[in-house]
């Protein structure tokens, strides 16, 4: 395949179109073109697409990384070079464009000691047309034949090469990423294409490792033909000579596996068209002006394509599920996928499913990801050995973080000391990466396995885990309490508390699960009080399955300690979660058990709350008279206890039971009383709930104008409180009001929003009603 920039541009245009499932004819119509024959020529690399067409391609196909624009710039640079390019002394070096390393055929080939031939006047300054190399410097290793993916990253590097050729050089690009991410493969691939674009005067490839800048400079100068006797003894002199030798030459310099910035700075060229690609496990943030390419794991399709390339299409096509499982076990890390593929290639009698089965065991997975001198564990060990003892201790303990990502405070709890510097060191060494949420970090699955192996040798797992969970549960209780209608002194208030709980919800559930796995009950005390607070969050976000799971773990812990109060809270929370899942009979049973324990433990406030939850269970079962009685019991109990917040909530719930019994006048009286109490308490969300219930009542009564106004007031508050359930149901009542007023287009819009929101929160029963209402409104428009 032609590897020119024009061909690369065409291939990228083709891939982009196919990824959207469009034919040439369909895309031409979207672009406003009369025919599609021209597009075919562009996609085949026969003609260079105009800039405005590339812009429209990116807009129509939603290409946001600028890949096509960068490739077009590279193609323009290639065209410019081809018009003025000097010829080799004889033959063509690396003419296949794939970095084959073939030298010049003819006089001067291989004459390393002669240096570069300069054909210049007395001043010794040779122009581009006069200068010709006496030998080829083509040190790039062969680009991996099974290279997959990395389209945007290759485009970034080709864009840098185009800038070099356009007079913007030198350009330094740092390719950073975790061990095994394929940094060297990407660098070689891009450097090979940069050579094809026109950076053909020389290709340097240096494995830096622990080498000093002086040693590397002497090695580069020898490659340029400088005799040992002329090599400057000091680094500054050698660097100056290196810059002089490269002046004006179009070159590619790959500095692989850099240790730090100091190792690289002396090797950077002076002004001129030189592309420098530096790969490193470190981020090398001290290299000012360098462009950056960060490598993560491969996309799933690209990782599967890599494995397929190695084992063969027929073999992979016969076991697509096993291919996906092997790639997942490898964490889509190129090194791991390549090792897995090599093992399968060496054992053609193995099924891919057999390897997938071997890799399921996390305890032995890293050991099995070894093929010859390639080993995932060895790649990780190189980076681990370079970090400080403090960062190493944190790295080992981060495997205890139960969520997909973690924050600085969690790391501090694990380390037992401020952890910000250690995290920065680990991130700089690419042993952890940045998560999607700002301020949070994540660790690759295979690195977790490696850290887990190291942690077993430390012997302080239990202490670190207890410290982390104690911090996590305490923070969760404080944040959840900030969501209650009563005032809270949580830093940042309700929005900050909600954001923290959203970010840590997965970690919290993971910690609860791990607590439940500890049969010795050592971590059980950490669950205390969590069941009294966390329901505020789970209810707001409709995380009913999380609520049920946490409640069940808390119930088991309470049974172990035979603590009636804790068991009452656990049953109460369990009943609420089951209500959210519409499991009304199960909720009724859980709440009755909780009521029994609450009475035995003397928990009058929890007894009152359970009356309300029993009322909701009876409502779900259609037993509205019993529901109304229980809500009345709840209100009375709260009145006796002086709990105005609970009394107002109970009165509002009672109104719905009365409404379902057809007692609309009594229901309206309850709602007016609830609204008054909520307003006096300053409970904005409670006011919104009462307004929503009032809107539903007025819609049932046919008073759609009043219902519309109340729905709008409720919606505004629910939105301001980021209440997803409230926003969805308020939109539903808004739709009912508008439909009743004959404003069907507006009603349909409100219903659509309601359907989307109800689907997201799992409110299946009301979702069916909203979907039917939407269909009816659309049919009547």
């Amino acid at each position: 395949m032609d590897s020119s920039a024009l061909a690369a541009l065409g291939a990228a245009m083709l891939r982009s179109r196919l990824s959207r499932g469009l034919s040439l004819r369909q895309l031409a119509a979207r672009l406003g073109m009369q025919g599609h024959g021209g597009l075919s020529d562009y996609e085949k690399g026969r003609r260079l697409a105009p800039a405005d067409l590339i812009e429209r391609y990116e807009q129509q196909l939603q290409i946001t990384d600028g890949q096509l624009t960068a490739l077009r710039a590279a193609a323009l640079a290639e065209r410019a070079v081809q018009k003025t390019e000097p010829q080799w002394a004889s033959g063509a070096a690396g003419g296949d464009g794939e970095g084959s390393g073939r030298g010049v055929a003819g006089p001067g080939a291989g004459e390393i000691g002669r240096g570069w031939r300069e054909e210049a006047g007395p001043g010794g300054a040779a122009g581009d047309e006069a200068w010709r190399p006496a030998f080829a410097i083509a040190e790039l290793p062969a680009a991996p034949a099974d290279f997959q993916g990395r389209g945007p990253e290759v485009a970034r590097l080709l864009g840098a090469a185009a800038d070099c050729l356009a007079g913007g050089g030198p350009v330094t690009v740092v390719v950073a990423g975790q061990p095994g991410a394929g940094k060297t493969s990407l660098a070689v691939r891009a450097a090979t294409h940069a050579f094809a674009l026109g950076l053909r005067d020389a290709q340097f490839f240096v494995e830096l490792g622990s080498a000093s800048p002086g040693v590397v400079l002497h090695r580069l100068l020898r490659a340029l033909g400088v005799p040992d006797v002329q090599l400057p003894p000091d680094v500054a002199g050698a660097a100056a000579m290196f810059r002089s030798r490269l002046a004006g030459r179009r070159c590619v310099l790959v500095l692989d596996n850099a240790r730090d910035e100091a190792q690289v700075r002396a090797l950077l060229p002076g002004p001129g068209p030189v592309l420098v690609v530096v790969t490193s496990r470190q981020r090398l943030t001290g290299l000012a002006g360098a462009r950056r390419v960060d490598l993560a794991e491969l996309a799933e399709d690209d990782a599967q394509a890599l494995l397929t390339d190695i084992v063969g299409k027929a073999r992979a096509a016969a076991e697509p599920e096993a291919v996906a499982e092997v790639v997942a076990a490898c964490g889509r890390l190129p090194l791991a996928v390549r090792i897995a593929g090599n093992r399968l290639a060496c054992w053609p009698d193995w099924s891919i499913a057999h390897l997938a089965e071997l890799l399921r065991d996390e305890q032995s997975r890293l050991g099995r990801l070894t093929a010859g001198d390639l080993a995932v564990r060895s790649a990780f060990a190189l980076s681990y050995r370079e970090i400080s003892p403090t960062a190493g201790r944190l790295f080992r303990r981060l495997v205890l973080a139960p969520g997909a990502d973690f924050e600085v405070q969690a790391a501090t709890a694990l380390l037992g000391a401020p952890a910000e510097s250690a995290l920065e060191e680990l991130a700089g060494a690419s042993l952890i990466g940045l998560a999607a949420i700002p301020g949070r970090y994540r660790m690759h699955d295979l690195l977790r396995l490696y850290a887990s192996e190291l942690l077993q040798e430390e012997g302080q797992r239990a202490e670190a885990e207890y410290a982390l969970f104690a911090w996590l549960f305490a923070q969760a209780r404080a944040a959840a309490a900030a969501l209650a209608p009563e005032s809270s002194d949580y830093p940042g208030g309700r929005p900050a508390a909600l954001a923290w709980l959203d970010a840590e919800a997965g970690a919290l559930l993971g910690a609860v699960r791990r607590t439940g796995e500890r049969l010795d009950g050592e971590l059980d005390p950490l669950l205390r009080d969590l069941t009294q607070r966390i329901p505020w969050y789970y209810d707001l976000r409709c995380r009913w399955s999380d609520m049920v799971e946490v409640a069940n773990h808390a119930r088991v812990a309470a049974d172990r300690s035979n603590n009636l109060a804790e068991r009452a809270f656990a049953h109460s929370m369990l009943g609420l979660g089951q209500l959210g899942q519409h499991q009304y009979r199960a909720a009724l049973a859980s709440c009755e058990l909780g009521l029994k324990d609450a009475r035995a433990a003397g928990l009058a406030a929890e007894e009152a709350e359970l009356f309300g939850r029993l009322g909701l269970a009876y409502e779900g079962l259609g037993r509205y008279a019993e529901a109304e009685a229980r809500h009345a019991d709840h209100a009375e109990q709260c009145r006796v206890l002086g709990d105005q917040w609970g009394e107002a909530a109970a009165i509002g719930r009672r109104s719905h039971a009365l409404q379902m019994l057809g007692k609309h006048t009594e229901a309206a009286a309850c709602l007016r009383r609830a609204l008054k109490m909520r307003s006096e308490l300053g409970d904005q969300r409670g006011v919104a709930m009462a307004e929503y219930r009032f809107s539903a009542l007025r819609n049932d009564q046919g008073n759609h104008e009043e219902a519309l106004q109340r729905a709008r007031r409720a919606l505004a508050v629910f939105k301001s409180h980021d209440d997803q359930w409230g926003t969805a149901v308020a939109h539903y009542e808004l739709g009912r009001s508008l439909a009743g007023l004959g404003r069907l287009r507006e009603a349909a819009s409100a219903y659509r929003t309601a359907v989307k929101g109800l689907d997201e929160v799992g409110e299946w029963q009301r979702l069916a009603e909203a979907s039917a209402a939407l269909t009816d409104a659309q049919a009547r428009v």
Side-chain angles (χ1 to χ4, degrees):
M1 179 184 295
D2 185 2
S3 62
S4 69
L6 186 59
L9 172 62
M13 294 172 70
L14 174 62
R15 284 195 304 272
S16 300
R17 173 173 61 81
L18 295 179
S19 69
R20 299 297 186 274
L22 296 174
S23 67
L24 275 171
R25 191 181 303 277
Q26 290 170 327
L27 181 57
R30 288 193 180 191
L31 295 173
M33 300 176 67
Q34 296 297 321
H36 61 274
L39 290 182
S40 178
D41 286 345
Y42 298 141
E43 290 187 355
K44 290 178 181 178
R46 294 173 179 166
R47 297 170 57 201
L48 180 63
D52 64 330
L53 179 63
I54 291 297
E55 182 178 348
R56 283 184 287 158
Y57 244 76
E58 292 185 330
Q59 290 174 348
Q60 287 293 328
L61 301 181
Q62 298 179 341
I63 301 169
T64 59
D65 58 13
Q67 177 187 8
L68 299 185
T69 299
L71 287 173
R72 186 178 186 277
L76 280 174
E78 180 182 58
R79 175 180 291 179
V81 168
Q82 289 172 347
K83 290 179 179 179
T84 60
E85 184 176 81
Q87 300 299 311
W88 296 95
S90 178
D96 58 359
E98 291 298 324
S100 63
R102 296 188 185 123
V104 179
E111 297 179 12
I112 303 299
R114 296 188 187 178
W116 293 20
R117 180 182 301 144
E118 305 284 355
E119 298 182 6
D128 278 348
E129 294 297 333
W131 175 84
R132 290 182 294 174
F135 53 86
I137 300 177
E139 297 180 349
L140 289 177
D146 54 13
F147 187 90
Q148 287 290 341
R150 306 300 193 197
E153 292 84 358
V154 171
R156 290 276 306 277
L157 285 161
L158 289 180
D163 289 344
C164 284
L165 289 165
V171 177
T172 299
V173 183
V174 175
V175 179
Q178 65 195 45
K183 300 180 289 294
T184 302
S185 296
L186 172 66
V188 172
R189 178 84 166 191
T192 301
H193 286 311
F195 172 83
L197 289 179
L199 297 176
R200 298 183 177 178
D201 291 348
Q203 310 167 4
F204 299 95
F205 182 90
V206 182
E207 165 60 43
L208 292 178
S210 60
S212 68
V215 169
V216 175
L217 283 167
H218 283 181
R219 173 249 196 265
L220 291 169
L221 289 171
R222 289 190 186 98
L224 291 169
V226 178
D228 284 358
V229 294
Q230 295 181 15
L231 293 175
D234 60 308
V235 172
M241 179 178 285
F242 179 62
R243 291 193 294 271
S244 297
R245 292 280 173 157
L246 289 189
R249 314 308 180 200
R250 296 164 301 183
C251 306
V252 179
L253 172 60
V254 176
L255 302 174
D256 193 41
N257 194 23
R259 182 183 63 243
D260 52 35
E261 294 90 340
Q263 191 184 33
V264 173
R265 286 194 184 100
L267 309 178
L268 298 179
V274 181
L275 173 65
V276 183
V277 182
V278 185
T279 74
S280 180
R281 293 180 175 89
Q282 302 290 329
R283 300 183 68 83
L284 304 184
T285 55
L287 282 183
R291 303 183 188 184
R292 303 193 177 276
V293 173
D294 293 324
L295 290 191
E297 53 269 28
L298 287 168
E300 185 173 351
D301 289 347
D302 292 332
Q304 291 186 21
L306 174 57
L307 187 64
T308 298
D309 269 0
I310 299 171
V311 304
K313 292 183 179 179
R315 193 174 175 186
E319 299 182 80
E321 293 181 359
V323 168
E325 186 175 351
V326 167
V327 163
C330 293
R332 308 198 310 274
L333 197 64
L335 174 62
V337 175
R338 188 166 280 116
I339 288 172
N342 289 349
R343 292 198 68 180
L344 288 168
C346 291
W347 296 97
D349 293 335
W350 276 16
S351 67
I352 301 177
H354 174 64
L355 179 59
E357 183 177 357
L358 293 177
L359 293 177
R360 283 176 199 149
D361 182 3
E362 292 187 350
Q363 301 299 317
S364 62
R365 185 179 298 170
L366 288 181
R368 297 188 187 281
L369 288 175
T370 302
D373 61 351
L374 293 179
V376 171
R377 184 186 284 113
S378 298
F380 293 167
L382 286 173
S383 292
Y384 176 73
R385 287 197 293 265
E386 293 177 357
I387 59 179
S388 68
T390 299
R393 183 166 65 254
L394 179 58
F395 174 72
R396 297 190 296 272
R397 294 182 177 185
L398 282 174
V399 73
L400 298 174
D405 51 35
F406 50 89
E407 63 166 333
V408 176
Q409 288 180 299
T412 295
L414 281 169
L415 189 59
E420 189 168 359
S421 296
L423 284 172
E424 290 180 359
E425 184 178 349
L426 291 175
S430 299
L431 288 172
I432 60 174
L434 300 179
I437 302 176
R440 299 181 69 84
Y441 299 87
R442 67 182 184 93
M443 182 185 288
H444 189 272
D445 289 345
L446 293 182
L447 279 165
R448 278 184 175 272
L449 294 181
Y450 180 63
S452 183
E453 290 181 355
L454 297 172
L455 183 64
Q456 291 177 6
E457 304 170 5
E458 182 178 317
Q460 294 182 329
R461 178 188 180 109
E463 294 87 341
E465 187 171 59
Y466 191 94
L468 173 64
F469 289 1
W471 169 82
L472 182 61
F473 288 163
Q475 290 294 315
R477 288 194 299 269
L483 304 182
E486 298 91 339
S487 60
S488 168
D489 57 356
Y490 190 88
R494 179 190 175 90
L498 188 56
W500 187 91
L501 286 164
D502 284 341
E504 296 290 354
L508 181 63
L509 185 60
V512 170
R513 286 172 179 167
R514 204 174 296 169
T515 299
E517 293 168 0
R518 293 283 296 271
L519 300 179
D520 56 9
E522 185 177 347
L523 299 176
D524 287 353
L526 298 179
L527 279 174
R528 290 173 184 161
D529 298 332
L530 187 66
T531 51
Q532 300 176 55
R533 301 296 185 184
I534 200 64
W536 285 110
Y537 171 68
Y538 287 151
D539 185 18
L540 178 65
R541 283 294 189 241
C542 299
R543 298 182 75 111
W544 308 119
S545 60
D546 286 11
M547 185 183 290
V548 167
E549 186 171 353
V550 172
N552 274 320
H553 283 296
R555 180 178 52 80
V556 172
D559 285 342
R560 273 198 290 259
S561 63
N562 197 28
N563 188 309
L564 290 176
E566 291 179 15
R567 193 162 63 194
F569 290 129
H571 278 127
S572 180
M573 180 179 178
L574 179 60
L576 181 58
Q578 290 165 332
L579 284 171
Q581 294 178 327
H582 309 300
Q583 298 174 0
Y584 300 115
R585 293 191 185 280
L588 193 64
S590 296
C591 290
E592 285 174 343
L593 289 171
L595 189 61
K596 178 182 176 182
D597 289 332
R599 282 172 173 164
L603 300 174
E606 192 61 27
E607 182 181 353
E609 187 65 34
L610 280 159
F611 282 143
R613 291 176 187 179
L614 282 167
L616 293 173
Y618 283 128
E619 281 188 52
L621 294 170
R623 296 158 61 175
Y624 298 112
E626 292 167 280
E628 191 271 332
R630 280 308 191 190
H631 289 315
D633 290 341
H634 183 196
E636 176 61 18
Q637 183 90 324
C638 288
R639 187 191 66 77
V640 171
L641 293 170
D643 179 6
Q644 292 182 299
W645 301 89
E647 184 182 359
I651 293 171
R653 290 174 180 172
R654 185 183 174 206
S655 73
H656 183 254
L658 289 167
Q659 179 181 342
M660 298 307 294
L661 289 168
K663 300 179 179 181
H664 291 170
T665 301
E666 293 178 61
C670 281
L671 286 171
R672 278 190 286 271
R673 185 180 172 195
L675 266 172
K676 183 174 184 298
M677 293 183 69
R678 299 278 203 182
S679 298
E680 290 174 349
L681 290 168
D683 180 7
Q684 293 183 350
R685 185 166 177 262
V687 168
M689 187 64 71
E691 291 281 21
Y692 151 70
R693 293 186 188 278
F694 231 140
S695 177
L697 175 62
R698 292 310 189 210
N699 272 325
D700 281 358
Q701 294 177 305
N703 187 348
H704 301 299
E705 190 61 53
E706 181 182 344
L708 177 63
Q709 299 307 316
R710 292 190 181 278
R712 283 175 171 166
R713 288 198 290 268
L715 181 60
V717 176
F718 284 139
K719 283 183 174 180
S720 70
H721 280 65
D722 197 12
D723 187 331
Q724 297 166 334
W725 180 89
T727 299
V729 296
H731 270 111
Y732 174 60
E733 293 304 330
L734 188 67
R736 290 182 67 200
S737 305
L738 291 165
L741 293 170
R743 297 158 62 175
L744 296 176
R745 290 187 184 278
E746 295 172 84
S749 176
Y751 282 141
R752 270 191 292 272
T753 304
V755 166
K756 182 176 183 295
L758 292 167
D759 185 32
E760 289 175 350
V761 300
E763 185 66 74
W764 310 124
Q765 291 182 336
R766 199 156 303 175
L767 175 62
E769 297 171 6
S771 298
L774 173 60
T775 300
D776 178 67
Q778 289 175 328
R780 292 164 54 200
V781 170

